[in-house]
Amino acid sequence: KRLKKRMVNFMTTLIKSKPYDDNVWMTYGIIQYRFNDYNEAINAFDYAIAINTNEYFRHLYKGLTLKDLDRKEEAIEELFLANKYNQENITPLIEIGNLYMDEREYKKAIDIYKDLLEKGEDYEKQDYYFNISLRYFSLGKKALGEKYEKLALDECYDFSLMTNFAKELYLNGF
């Protein structure tokens, strides 16, 4: 608690001396985020975004913070902006896919994971195939679920992931 107070006091002083520095606001937001003061973090990220609209990390952290506040629609919107400003980094898409799964919007989750198959590294494909498979099973599309399950197993290198997949199949009655 004392550390947070010292850090916030330092950042407040810095903000007063550099009120138009988006990096200062971003740092302040990350500090607030790390200390779970999500509303204050969002305010700081909003200032950073107002100063530098097109910067990936500002939108990513705001999206993650909104996700933690269970403001999922806003989080998805912000994460799509992060993806727009840096299409090389797949973190926003992974988070969006997870949010869609949480909301049981399986078709949208499948679209995101298919996009990740094209953008991600080879070692990540197994996970995306498993997620697509589970979403198809959830939609009652057994043939497609089995197709992606086979693709996941063909890519199999991570047996802990395969165990988790088997557990998900069992827990969901597939």
Side-chain angles (χ1 to χ4, degrees), residues 96-166:
I96 292 166
N98 291 338
L99 284 163
Y100 281 147
M101 287 190 313
D102 291 347
E103 293 296 301
R104 299 185 187 282
E105 294 187 49
Y106 299 133
K107 289 179 184 177
K108 290 180 180 180
I110 289 167
D111 290 341
I112 293 294
Y113 282 109
K114 284 182 177 179
D115 194 22
L116 284 165
L117 282 170
E118 294 174 20
K119 294 180 178 188
E121 300 292 329
D122 284 344
Y123 69 88
E124 299 167 316
K125 287 183 178 182
Q126 176 186 6
D127 189 34
Y128 305 142
Y129 285 135
F130 278 146
N131 276 304
I132 293 168
S133 174
L134 285 169
R135 296 325 125 210
Y136 275 129
F137 283 130
S138 296
L139 290 168
K141 297 183 177 187
K142 184 179 177 188
L144 284 169
E146 289 173 348
K147 172 187 171 184
Y148 282 93
E149 177 182 49
K150 181 178 179 344
L151 289 168
L153 293 171
D154 288 346
E155 294 282 331
C156 186
Y157 68 92
D158 182 345
F159 291 103
S160 66
L161 185 60
M162 190 167 43
T163 303
N164 287 339
F165 179 66

Side-chain angles (χ1 to χ4, degrees), residues 12 18 25 36 42 47-48 50 76 78 81 85 105 112 116 119 124 135 162 165-166 169 171 174:
T12 302
K18 297 181 177 192
W25 283 105
N36 301 324
I42 288 173
Y47 279 110
I76 289 169
E78 208 62 44
L81 283 172
Y85 297 124
E105 294 187 49
I112 293 294
L116 284 165
K119 294 180 178 188
E124 299 167 316
R135 296 325 125 210
M162 190 167 43
F165 179 66
L169 287 172
L171 291 174
F174 300 127

